[in-house]
Coordinates of all heavy atoms in Angstrom, one line a residue:
M28 N 0.8 -1.2 0.0 CA 0.0 0.0 0.0 C 0.9 1.2 0.0 O 0.6 2.3 -0.7 CB -0.9 -0.1 1.2 CG -1.9 1.1 1.3 SD -3.1 0.9 0.0 CE -4.2 2.2 0.3
R29 N 2.0 1.2 0.7 CA 2.9 2.3 0.8 C 3.5 2.6 -0.5 O 3.6 3.8 -0.9 CB 3.9 2.1 1.9 CG 4.8 3.2 2.1 CD 5.8 3.0 3.2 NE 6.7 4.1 3.3 CZ 7.0 4.7 4.4 NH1 6.4 4.3 5.5 NH2 7.8 5.7 4.4
K30 N 3.8 1.5 -1.3 CA 4.5 1.7 -2.6 C 3.5 2.3 -3.5 O 3.9 3.2 -4.3 CB 5.0 0.4 -3.1 CG 6.1 -0.2 -2.5 CD 6.6 -1.5 -3.1 CE 7.8 -2.0 -2.4 NZ 8.2 -3.3 -2.9
L31 N 2.2 2.0 -3.4 CA 1.2 2.6 -4.3 C 1.0 4.1 -4.0 O 1.0 4.9 -5.0 CB -0.1 1.8 -4.1 CG -1.3 2.4 -4.8 CD1 -1.2 2.2 -6.3 CD2 -2.6 1.8 -4.4
L32 N 1.0 4.4 -2.7 CA 0.9 5.9 -2.4 C 2.1 6.6 -2.8 O 2.0 7.8 -3.4 CB 0.7 6.0 -0.9 CG -0.7 5.6 -0.3 CD1 -0.7 5.6 1.2 CD2 -1.8 6.3 -0.9
V33 N 3.3 6.1 -2.7 CA 4.5 6.7 -3.1 C 4.5 6.9 -4.7 O 4.8 7.9 -5.2 CB 5.7 6.0 -2.7 CG1 7.0 6.5 -3.3 CG2 5.9 6.1 -1.2
G34 N 4.0 5.8 -5.4 CA 3.9 6.0 -6.9 C 2.9 7.0 -7.3 O 3.2 7.7 -8.2
L35 N 1.8 7.0 -6.6 CA 0.7 8.0 -7.0 C 1.3 9.4 -6.8 O 1.0 10.4 -7.5 CB -0.5 7.7 -6.3 CG -1.3 6.5 -6.7 CD1 -2.5 6.3 -5.8 CD2 -1.8 6.7 -8.2
L36 N 1.9 9.7 -5.6 CA 2.4 10.9 -5.2 C 3.6 11.4 -6.2 O 3.6 12.5 -6.7 CB 3.0 10.9 -3.8 CG 3.5 12.3 -3.3 CD1 2.4 13.3 -3.2 CD2 4.2 12.1 -2.0
G37 N 4.4 10.5 -6.5 CA 5.4 10.7 -7.5 C 4.9 11.1 -8.9 O 5.4 12.0 -9.5
S38 N 3.9 10.4 -9.4 CA 3.3 10.7 -10.7 C 2.5 12.0 -10.6 O 2.5 12.8 -11.6 CB 2.4 9.6 -11.1 OG 1.3 9.5 -10.2
Y39 N 1.9 12.3 -9.5 CA 1.2 13.6 -9.3 C 2.3 14.8 -9.3 O 2.0 15.8 -10.0 CB 0.4 13.6 -8.0 CG -0.2 15.0 -7.7 CD1 -1.3 15.3 -8.4 CD2 0.3 15.8 -6.8 CE1 -2.0 16.5 -8.2 CE2 -0.3 17.1 -6.5 CZ -1.4 17.4 -7.2 OH -2.0 18.6 -7.0
L40 N 3.4 14.6 -8.7 CA 4.4 15.6 -8.7 C 5.1 15.8 -10.1 O 5.6 16.8 -10.4 CB 5.5 15.4 -7.6 CG 4.9 15.5 -6.2 CD1 6.0 15.1 -5.2 CD2 4.5 16.9 -5.9
A41 N 5.1 14.7 -10.9 CA 5.8 14.8 -12.2 C 4.9 15.3 -13.3 O 5.4 15.6 -14.4 CB 6.2 13.3 -12.6
M42 N 3.6 15.5 -13.0 CA 2.7 15.9 -14.1 C 3.0 17.3 -14.7 O 3.0 17.5 -15.9 CB 1.2 16.0 -13.5 CG 0.7 14.6 -13.3 SD 0.6 13.7 -14.8 CE -0.9 14.2 -15.5
P43 N 3.3 18.3 -13.9 CA 3.7 19.6 -14.5 C 5.0 19.5 -15.5 O 5.1 20.1 -16.4 CB 4.0 20.5 -13.3 CG 3.3 19.9 -12.2 CD 3.3 18.5 -12.5
V44 N 5.9 18.6 -15.1 CA 7.1 18.4 -15.9 C 6.7 17.7 -17.2 O 7.3 18.0 -18.3 CB 8.1 17.6 -15.1 CG1 9.3 17.2 -15.9 CG2 8.4 18.3 -13.8
A45 N 5.7 16.8 -17.3 CA 5.4 16.1 -18.4 C 4.5 17.0 -19.5 O 4.2 16.5 -20.5 CB 4.6 14.9 -18.0
G46 N 4.2 18.2 -19.1 CA 3.4 19.0 -20.0 C 4.2 19.5 -21.2 O 5.4 19.2 -21.4
A47 N 3.5 20.1 -22.1 CA 4.1 20.6 -23.3 C 5.2 21.7 -23.0 O 5.0 22.5 -22.0 CB 3.1 21.1 -24.3
C48 N 6.1 21.9 -23.8 CA 7.1 22.9 -23.6 C 6.5 24.3 -23.9 O 5.4 24.4 -24.5 CB 8.3 22.7 -24.5 SG 8.0 22.8 -26.2
P49 N 7.1 25.4 -23.4 CA 6.5 26.7 -23.6 C 6.3 27.1 -25.1 O 5.4 27.8 -25.5 CB 7.5 27.7 -23.0 CG 8.2 26.8 -22.0 CD 8.2 25.4 -22.5
W50 N 7.2 26.6 -25.9 CA 7.0 26.8 -27.4 C 5.9 26.0 -28.0 O 5.2 26.6 -28.9 CB 8.3 26.5 -28.1 CG 8.4 26.9 -29.5 CD1 8.5 28.1 -30.0 CD2 8.3 26.0 -30.6 NE1 8.5 28.1 -31.4 CE2 8.3 26.8 -31.8 CE3 8.1 24.6 -30.7 CZ2 8.2 26.2 -33.1 CZ3 8.0 24.1 -32.0 CH2 8.1 24.9 -33.1
C51 N 5.7 24.8 -27.5 CA 4.6 23.9 -28.1 C 3.3 24.1 -27.5 O 2.2 23.9 -28.1 CB 5.0 22.5 -27.9 SG 6.6 22.0 -28.7
R52 N 3.3 24.6 -26.2 CA 2.0 24.7 -25.6 C 0.9 25.6 -26.3 O -0.2 25.1 -26.4 CB 2.1 25.3 -24.1 CG 0.9 25.4 -23.3 CD 1.2 25.9 -21.9 NE 2.2 25.1 -21.2 CZ 2.0 24.0 -20.6 NH1 0.8 23.5 -20.5 NH2 2.9 23.4 -20.0
P53 N 1.2 26.7 -26.8 CA 0.2 27.5 -27.6 C -0.3 26.7 -28.8 O -1.5 26.7 -29.2 CB 0.9 28.8 -28.0 CG 2.0 28.9 -27.2 CD 2.4 27.5 -26.7
R54 N 0.5 25.9 -29.5 CA 0.1 25.2 -30.6 C -0.8 24.0 -30.2 O -1.8 23.7 -30.9 CB 1.3 24.6 -31.4 CG 2.2 25.7 -32.0 CD 3.4 25.1 -32.7 NE 4.2 26.1 -33.2 CZ 4.9 26.1 -34.3 NH1 5.0 24.9 -34.9 NH2 5.6 27.1 -34.7
V55 N -0.5 23.4 -29.1 CA -1.3 22.3 -28.5 C -2.7 22.9 -28.1 O -3.8 22.4 -28.5 CB -0.7 21.6 -27.3 CG1 -1.6 20.7 -26.7 CG2 0.6 20.9 -27.8
Q56 N -2.7 24.0 -27.5 CA -4.0 24.6 -27.1 C -4.8 25.1 -28.3 O -6.0 25.0 -28.2 CB -3.7 25.8 -26.1 CG -3.2 25.3 -24.7 CD -2.9 26.4 -23.8 OE1 -2.8 27.6 -24.2 NE2 -2.8 26.1 -22.5
A57 N -4.1 25.6 -29.3 CA -4.8 26.0 -30.5 C -5.5 24.8 -31.2 O -6.5 24.9 -31.8 CB -3.9 26.7 -31.4
G58 N -4.8 23.7 -31.0 CA -5.4 22.5 -31.7 C -6.5 21.9 -30.9 O -7.4 21.2 -31.4
I59 N -6.6 22.2 -29.6 CA -7.6 21.6 -28.8 C -8.8 22.6 -28.7 O -10.0 22.2 -28.9 CB -7.1 21.4 -27.3 CG1 -6.2 20.3 -27.3 CG2 -8.3 21.1 -26.3 CD1 -5.4 20.1 -25.9
Y60 N -8.5 23.9 -28.5 CA -9.6 24.9 -28.3 C -9.8 25.6 -29.7 O -9.5 26.7 -29.9 CB -9.2 25.9 -27.2 CG -9.0 25.3 -25.9 CD1 -7.7 25.3 -25.3 CD2 -10.0 24.6 -25.3 CE1 -7.4 24.7 -24.2 CE2 -9.7 24.1 -24.0 CZ -8.5 24.1 -23.5 OH -8.2 23.5 -22.3
N61 N -10.5 24.9 -30.6 CA -10.8 25.4 -31.9 C -12.3 25.5 -32.0 O -13.1 25.3 -31.1 CB -10.1 24.7 -33.0 CG -10.4 23.2 -33.0 OD1 -11.4 22.8 -32.3 ND2 -9.6 22.4 -33.6
A62 N -12.8 25.7 -33.3 CA -14.2 25.8 -33.5 C -15.0 24.5 -33.3 O -16.1 24.5 -33.0 CB -14.4 26.3 -35.0
A63 N -14.3 23.4 -33.4 CA -14.9 22.1 -33.2 C -15.0 21.6 -31.7 O -15.4 20.5 -31.4 CB -14.3 21.0 -34.0
Y64 N -14.5 22.4 -30.8 CA -14.4 22.1 -29.4 C -15.7 21.7 -28.8 O -15.8 20.6 -28.1 CB -13.8 23.2 -28.6 CG -13.6 23.0 -27.1 CD1 -12.6 22.1 -26.7 CD2 -14.4 23.5 -26.2 CE1 -12.5 21.8 -25.3 CE2 -14.3 23.3 -24.8 CZ -13.3 22.4 -24.4 OH -13.2 22.1 -23.1
P65 N -16.8 22.4 -29.0 CA -18.1 22.0 -28.4 C -18.6 20.6 -29.0 O -19.1 19.8 -28.2 CB -19.1 23.1 -28.9 CG -18.3 24.2 -29.1 CD -17.0 23.8 -29.6
T66 N -18.3 20.4 -30.2 CA -18.7 19.1 -30.9 C -17.9 17.9 -30.1 O -18.5 16.9 -29.8 CB -18.4 19.1 -32.3 OG1 -19.1 20.2 -32.9 CG2 -18.9 17.8 -33.0
Y67 N -16.6 18.1 -30.0 CA -15.8 17.1 -29.3 C -16.2 16.9 -27.9 O -16.2 15.8 -27.4 CB -14.3 17.5 -29.4 CG -13.8 17.5 -30.8 CD1 -12.8 18.4 -31.2 CD2 -14.2 16.5 -31.8 CE1 -12.3 18.3 -32.5 CE2 -13.7 16.5 -33.0 CZ -12.7 17.4 -33.4 OH -12.2 17.4 -34.7
M68 N -16.6 18.0 -27.2 CA -17.0 17.9 -25.8 C -18.3 17.1 -25.7 O -18.4 16.3 -24.8 CB -17.1 19.3 -25.3 CG -17.0 19.4 -23.8 SD -15.4 18.6 -23.4 CE -15.0 19.3 -21.8
V69 N -19.2 17.3 -26.6 CA -20.5 16.6 -26.6 C -20.2 15.1 -26.8 O -20.7 14.2 -26.2 CB -21.5 17.1 -27.6 CG1 -22.6 16.2 -27.8 CG2 -21.9 18.5 -27.1
L70 N -19.3 14.8 -27.8 CA -19.0 13.4 -28.1 C -18.2 12.7 -27.0 O -18.5 11.5 -26.7 CB -18.1 13.4 -29.4 CG -18.9 13.7 -30.7 CD1 -17.9 13.7 -31.8 CD2 -20.0 12.7 -30.9
V71 N -17.5 13.5 -26.2 CA -16.7 12.9 -25.1 C -17.7 12.6 -24.0 O -17.6 11.6 -23.3 CB -15.6 13.8 -24.7 CG1 -15.0 13.4 -23.3 CG2 -14.5 13.7 -25.7
L72 N -18.7 13.5 -23.7 CA -19.6 13.4 -22.6 C -20.8 12.5 -22.9 O -21.5 12.1 -22.0 CB -20.0 14.8 -22.1 CG -18.9 15.6 -21.5 CD1 -19.4 17.0 -21.1 CD2 -18.3 15.0 -20.3
L73 N -21.0 12.2 -24.1 CA -22.2 11.4 -24.5 C -22.2 10.0 -23.8 O -23.3 9.6 -23.3 CB -22.3 11.2 -26.0 CG -23.5 10.5 -26.6 CD1 -24.7 11.4 -26.1 CD2 -23.4 10.4 -28.0
P74 N -21.1 9.3 -23.8 CA -21.1 8.0 -23.1 C -21.4 8.2 -21.5 O -22.1 7.3 -20.9 CB -19.7 7.4 -23.2 CG -19.2 8.0 -24.4 CD -19.8 9.5 -24.4
V75 N -21.0 9.2 -20.9 CA -21.3 9.5 -19.6 C -22.8 9.7 -19.4 O -23.4 9.2 -18.4 CB -20.5 10.7 -19.1 CG1 -20.9 11.1 -17.6 CG2 -19.0 10.5 -19.1
A76 N -23.4 10.4 -20.3 CA -24.8 10.7 -20.2 C -25.6 9.3 -20.4 O -26.6 9.1 -19.7 CB -25.3 11.7 -21.2
V77 N -25.1 8.5 -21.3 CA -25.8 7.2 -21.5 C -25.7 6.3 -20.3 O -26.7 5.8 -19.9 CB -25.3 6.5 -22.8 CG1 -25.7 5.1 -22.9 CG2 -25.6 7.3 -24.0
L78 N -24.5 6.3 -19.7 CA -24.4 5.5 -18.5 C -25.2 6.0 -17.3 O -25.7 5.3 -16.5 CB -22.9 5.4 -18.1 CG -22.0 4.6 -19.0 CD1 -20.6 4.7 -18.6 CD2 -22.4 3.1 -19.0
L79 N -25.3 7.3 -17.3 CA -26.1 8.0 -16.2 C -27.6 7.6 -16.3 O -28.3 7.2 -15.4 CB -26.0 9.5 -16.2 CG -26.7 10.3 -15.2 CD1 -26.1 10.0 -13.8 CD2 -26.6 11.7 -15.4
V80 N -28.1 7.6 -17.6 CA -29.5 7.3 -17.8 C -29.7 5.9 -17.6 O -30.8 5.5 -16.9 CB -29.8 7.7 -19.3 CG1 -31.2 7.1 -19.7 CG2 -29.9 9.2 -19.5
L81 N -28.8 5.0 -17.9 CA -29.0 3.5 -17.6 C -28.9 3.3 -16.1 O -29.7 2.5 -15.6 CB -27.8 2.8 -18.3 CG -28.0 2.6 -19.8 CD1 -26.8 1.9 -20.4 CD2 -29.2 1.8 -20.2
G82 N -28.1 3.9 -15.5 CA -28.0 3.7 -14.0 C -29.2 4.2 -13.3 O -29.8 3.5 -12.4
V83 N -29.7 5.4 -13.7 CA -31.0 5.9 -13.0 C -32.1 5.0 -13.4 O -33.0 4.7 -12.6 CB -31.3 7.3 -13.5 CG1 -32.7 7.8 -13.1 CG2 -30.2 8.2 -12.9
G84 N -32.2 4.5 -14.7 CA -33.3 3.6 -15.0 C -33.2 2.3 -14.3 O -34.2 1.7 -13.9
L85 N -32.0 1.7 -14.0 CA -31.9 0.5 -13.3 C -32.2 0.8 -11.8 O -32.9 -0.1 -11.2 CB -30.5 -0.1 -13.3 CG -30.1 -0.7 -14.7 CD1 -28.7 -1.2 -14.7 CD2 -31.0 -1.9 -14.9
F86 N -31.9 1.9 -11.3 CA -32.2 2.2 -9.9 C -33.7 2.3 -9.7 O -34.2 1.8 -8.6 CB -31.5 3.5 -9.5 CG -31.7 3.9 -8.1 CD1 -30.9 3.2 -7.1 CD2 -32.6 4.8 -7.6 CE1 -31.0 3.5 -5.8 CE2 -32.7 5.1 -6.3 CZ -31.9 4.5 -5.4
Y87 N -34.4 2.9 -10.6 CA -35.9 3.1 -10.5 C -36.7 2.1 -11.2 O -37.8 2.3 -11.6 CB -36.2 4.5 -10.9 CG -35.8 5.6 -9.9 CD1 -34.8 6.5 -10.3 CD2 -36.3 5.7 -8.7 CE1 -34.3 7.4 -9.4 CE2 -35.8 6.7 -7.8 CZ -34.8 7.5 -8.1 OH -34.4 8.5 -7.3
W88 N -36.0 1.0 -11.6 CA -36.7 0.0 -12.4 C -38.0 -0.5 -11.9 O -39.0 -0.7 -12.6 CB -35.9 -1.2 -12.7 CG -36.5 -2.3 -13.5 CD1 -36.8 -3.5 -13.1 CD2 -37.0 -2.2 -14.9 NE1 -37.5 -4.2 -14.1 CE2 -37.6 -3.4 -15.2 CE3 -37.0 -1.2 -15.8 CZ2 -38.2 -3.7 -16.4 CZ3 -37.6 -1.4 -17.0 CH2 -38.2 -2.7 -17.3
D89 N -38.1 -0.7 -10.6 CA -39.3 -1.2 -10.0 C -40.5 -0.2 -10.1 O -41.7 -0.5 -10.5 CB -39.2 -1.5 -8.5 CG -38.2 -2.7 -8.3 OD1 -38.2 -3.6 -9.2 OD2 -37.6 -2.8 -7.2
K90 N -40.2 1.1 -9.9 CA -41.2 2.1 -10.0 C -41.6 2.3 -11.5 O -42.8 2.4 -11.8 CB -40.8 3.4 -9.4 CG -40.6 3.4 -8.0 CD -40.1 4.7 -7.5 CE -39.9 4.7 -6.0 NZ -39.4 5.9 -5.4
I91 N -40.7 2.2 -12.4 CA -41.0 2.3 -13.8 C -41.8 1.2 -14.3 O -42.8 1.3 -15.0 CB -39.7 2.4 -14.6 CG1 -38.9 3.7 -14.3 CG2 -39.9 2.3 -16.1 CD1 -37.5 3.7 -14.9
R92 N -41.5 0.0 -13.9 CA -42.2 -1.2 -14.3 C -43.6 -1.2 -13.8 O -44.6 -1.5 -14.5 CB -41.5 -2.5 -13.8 CG -42.1 -3.8 -14.4 CD -41.5 -5.0 -13.8 NE -41.7 -5.0 -12.3 CZ -41.3 -5.8 -11.5 NH1 -40.5 -6.8 -11.9 NH2 -41.6 -5.8 -10.2
T93 N -43.8 -0.8 -12.5 CA -45.2 -0.8 -12.0 C -46.1 0.3 -12.6 O -47.2 0.1 -12.9 CB -45.2 -0.6 -10.4 OG1 -44.5 0.6 -10.1 CG2 -44.6 -1.8 -9.8
S94 N -45.4 1.4 -12.9 CA -46.2 2.5 -13.6 C -46.5 2.0 -15.0 O -47.6 2.3 -15.5 CB -45.5 3.7 -13.6 OG -44.3 3.7 -14.3
L95 N -45.6 1.4 -15.8 CA -45.9 0.9 -17.1 C -47.0 -0.2 -17.1 O -47.9 -0.2 -17.9 CB -44.7 0.4 -17.8 CG -43.6 1.4 -18.2 CD1 -42.4 0.7 -18.8 CD2 -44.2 2.3 -19.2
L96 N -46.9 -1.0 -16.1 CA -48.0 -2.1 -15.9 C -49.4 -1.5 -15.7 O -50.4 -1.9 -16.2 CB -47.6 -3.1 -14.9 CG -46.4 -4.1 -15.3 CD1 -46.1 -4.9 -14.1 CD2 -46.8 -4.9 -16.5
A97 N -49.4 -0.4 -14.9 CA -50.6 0.2 -14.6 C -51.2 0.9 -15.8 O -52.4 0.9 -16.0 CB -50.4 1.2 -13.3
I98 N -50.3 1.5 -16.6 CA -50.8 2.2 -17.8 C -51.4 1.2 -18.7 O -52.4 1.4 -19.3 CB -49.6 2.9 -18.5 CG1 -49.2 4.1 -17.6 CG2 -50.0 3.4 -19.9 CD1 -48.0 4.8 -18.1
Y99 N -50.7 0.0 -19.0 CA -51.2 -0.9 -19.9 C -52.5 -1.7 -19.3 O -53.2 -2.2 -20.1 CB -50.1 -1.9 -20.3 CG -49.1 -1.3 -21.3 CD1 -47.8 -1.2 -20.9 CD2 -49.6 -0.9 -22.5 CE1 -46.9 -0.6 -21.8 CE2 -48.7 -0.3 -23.4 CZ -47.3 -0.2 -23.0 OH -46.5 0.4 -23.9
A100 N -52.5 -1.8 -18.0 CA -53.7 -2.5 -17.4 C -54.9 -1.6 -17.6 O -56.1 -2.2 -17.7 CB -53.4 -2.8 -15.9
N101 N -54.8 -0.3 -17.6 CA -56.0 0.6 -17.8 C -56.5 0.7 -19.2 O -57.5 1.3 -19.5 CB -55.7 2.0 -17.2 CG -55.6 1.9 -15.7 OD1 -56.1 1.1 -15.0 ND2 -54.7 2.9 -15.2
R102 N -55.8 0.1 -20.2 CA -56.2 0.2 -21.5 C -57.4 -0.6 -21.8 O -57.9 -1.6 -21.6 CB -55.1 -0.2 -22.5 CG -54.1 0.9 -22.6 CD -53.1 0.6 -23.7 NE -52.5 1.8 -24.1 CZ -51.7 1.9 -25.1 NH1 -51.4 0.9 -25.8 NH2 -51.2 3.0 -25.5

């Protein structure tokens, strides 16, 4: 456990060093933050939204099922 904590701390401290150099950083940011940024953000967050909807649906499955059965029973 101690080795894991030391490894995580070491990788956390090395993150600023692993970034782009000052000359490359503006080019990297220009490639990320362009006109297509909102589209890419939606595409990246879409699986999270799908998993969230599935999780909420599974959590409330009993209530959803009983309400659907009540709707179809009244027809």
Side-chain angles (χ1 to χ4, degrees):
M28 184 68 176
R29 184 179 177 129
K30 289 182 181 181
L31 176 67
L32 290 174
V33 169
L35 289 174
L36 181 64
S38 63
Y39 177 74
L40 292 174
M42 289 301 276
V44 177
C48 67
W50 186 74
C51 299
R52 185 176 306 274
R54 293 177 183 210
V55 171
Q56 288 178 345
I59 294 172
Y60 303 114
N61 55 19
Y64 181 73
T66 305
Y67 292 146
M68 207 52 159
V69 167
L70 288 176
V71 167
L72 293 176
L73 187 62
V75 175
V77 169
L78 289 175
L79 181 68
V80 168
L81 286 174
V83 169
L85 287 174
F86 185 78
Y87 291 110
W88 175 246
D89 291 334
K90 293 180 182 180
I91 294 170
R92 187 184 63 183
T93 54
S94 64
L95 287 176
L96 289 175
I98 291 171
Y99 286 118
N101 290 335
R102 283 188 160 187

